[in-house]
Amino acid sequence: MSKFFRIAVFASGSGSNFQAIADAVNAGKLDVHIGLLVCDRPNARVVERAKQLGIPSFVFRPKEYESREQYEQEILQRLQELEIDLVVMAGYMRLITQVLVKPLYGRLINIHPSLLPAFPGLNAVKQALDYGVKVTGVTVHYVDGGMDTGPIIAQQSLDIIPDDTEESIAASIHLIEHVLLPQVIGQIAAGQLKLNKDSYI
Ligand code: GRF
């Protein structure tokens, strides 16, 4: 097996974060190997991106399995076969169970488009706009199996101005994410971040 720190990315949609990670790797700015894309939607754009980048993918249809645990077992097996060091959830639209969280705790991170613990769950940008907050942002955190919960690794804020719309905020948030996520992955790969495993609940 190569000396590289090996990551897998879980995504369900467009995959612009997946692309940003791959671009950082290809530009020599991020010293990791992307071993696998895991995607639960065969028609998602991210699947096409992986093909174009020559990155192997595991694409599945959740409905074809009896339970979440069953497909997660299959995912876990692939991660273990590929000796994946870190799993990055970037727009993966499913809650994961302890089948993945327990063996991967501390090596499993998620990016969320709000300043957690504010506005977890779906449509975080709309939630922030509707609430009327003046500052929102991006959070990268370890995953503990809850809905966007777990120890926070990094956050970056973004001011909301009066003319902002959901689309304009989402665009700014993506720009932040595309820098912040590769940065955090690089720090973890370099051993600069350590999680106290006692925080596992
Ligand atoms: C990102 O905003 C991320 O924070 C959220 O889902 C979105 C995924 O975007 N979890 P993309 O598919 O990477 O473009």
Side-chain angles (χ1 to χ4, degrees), residues 56-70:
S57 56
F58 174 62
V59 182
F60 65 102
R61 288 185 172 79
K63 277 187 194 148
E64 291 175 1
Y65 294 81
E66 273 165 24
S67 64
R68 252 192 321 183
E69 284 77 3
Q70 204 183 60

Side-chain angles (χ1 to χ4, degrees), residues 123-199:
N123 305 319
V125 172
K126 183 170 188 311
Q127 289 186 56
L129 193 62
D130 290 350
Y131 197 94
V133 292
K134 303 299 175 214
V135 179
T136 187
V138 174
T139 303
V140 182
H141 65 96
Y142 291 105
V143 173
D144 67 5
M147 172 76 85
D148 299 316
T149 57
I152 289 173
I153 301 169
Q155 290 186 308
Q156 193 166 322
S157 63
L158 169 75
D159 289 342
I160 296 181
I161 55 170
D163 284 347
D164 263 328
T165 60
E166 192 182 338
E167 290 68 36
S168 68
I169 300 169
S172 304
I173 280 200
H174 267 110
L175 291 180
I176 293 174
E177 290 183 335
H178 297 166
V179 177
L180 189 64
L181 189 53
Q183 240 170 39
V184 169
I185 295 169
Q187 286 170 343
I188 294 176
Q192 290 163 358
L193 290 174
K194 288 272 178 273
L195 174 68
N196 177 1
K197 292 285 170 58
D198 292 346
S199 59

Side-chain angles (χ1 to χ4, degrees), residues 13-18 90-93 110-113 173-174 177-178:
S14 152
S16 70
N17 279 284
F18 173 74
Y92 183 67
M93 303 305 282
N110 178 47
I111 186 157
H112 184 76
I173 280 200
H174 267 110
E177 290 183 335
H178 297 166

Side-chain angles (χ1 to χ4, degrees), residues 16 51 83 151:
S16 70
K51 263 189 211 143
E83 299 184 14

